[in-house]
Amino acid sequence: MDIAEVARRSGVPASTLRYYEEKGLVTSIGRHGLRRLFAASVLERLALISMGRAAGLSLDEIAQMFAADGNLQIDRKLLALKADELDTTIRKLTAMRNGLRHAATCPAPSHMECPTFRRLLGLATSEMSAKGRQEKPAKKRPTKLPQQARRR
């Protein structure tokens, strides 16, 4: 299959296929003129790459799951960690969806008067604060004073 056919059948642009080949995720089996040729099995590999990307794996993490002989060597521990991350994301998104639904139908005269909305606002504030604490402050470099100022 030439690169245009792979792109058409997989929905992956030819430029991405060339990039994946550069990263070692897929391998062409030759050329027909200037066009790369791929085995039909590349479609299955592209599906695996797509699944990995959808699950939040980096291309480097995905590449490590393919052995040199082309067989899969899946890192089960990494998959379990990604599944846990997805569970956390799902919980957060579910809470956000529920909050939006409540805000859309809340009978309170003002959202700021609604206890549920105030609780959601408090949760959002604490999450922002937690993220702020996680970020490391930039290290301050000692400033060098000009030669004249150091002499005084």
Side-chain angles (χ1 to χ4, degrees):
M1 238 184 318
D2 76 6
I3 193 168
E5 177 70 7
V6 173
R8 187 185 66 72
R9 290 181 60 187
S10 68
V12 176
S15 58
T16 302
L17 291 168
R18 288 188 291 275
Y19 179 69
Y20 285 176
E21 186 174 22
E22 185 181 304
K23 298 274 293 172
L25 291 163
V26 298
T27 307
S28 60
I29 56 173
R31 290 187 178 267
H32 184 277
L34 294 176
R35 290 184 169 218
R36 290 171 168 84
L37 297 175
F38 293 91
S41 61
V42 75
L43 296 174
E44 192 171 73
R45 185 171 275 230
L46 290 170
L48 286 166
I49 293 167
S50 177
M51 280 177 40
R53 296 296 291 155
L57 295 169
S58 71
L59 290 178
D60 290 334
E61 289 170 327
I62 294 167
Q64 291 173 3
M65 292 192 190
F66 293 117
D69 63 2
N71 290 322
L72 284 176
Q73 54 183 21
I74 293 179
D75 182 345
R76 293 171 190 264
K77 195 175 200 175
L78 176 63
L79 294 184
L81 287 172
K82 288 296 177 181
D84 291 344
E85 286 177 19
L86 286 172
D87 283 339
T88 300
T89 301
I90 289 167
R91 279 193 300 277
K92 286 180 180 178
L93 290 172
T94 299
M96 187 181 302
R97 180 207 57 209
N98 293 344
L100 291 172
R101 288 194 194 281
H102 175 79
T105 61
C106 181
S110 160
H111 284 97
M112 296 311 278
E113 295 175 37
C114 172
T116 303
F117 186 80
R118 297 290 300 185
R119 184 176 49 80
L120 292 170
L121 191 59
L123 291 172
T125 302
S126 359
E127 189 165 317
M128 284 179 5
S129 296
K131 283 183 182 178
R133 286 190 301 271
Q134 288 174 354
E135 293 177 9
K136 294 181 181 176
K139 289 185 180 179
K140 280 191 170 183
R141 288 189 192 161
T143 55
K144 290 189 176 183
L145 296 173
Q147 190 70 22
Q148 288 176 338
R150 282 188 278 182
R151 288 185 192 151
R152 291 183 186 174

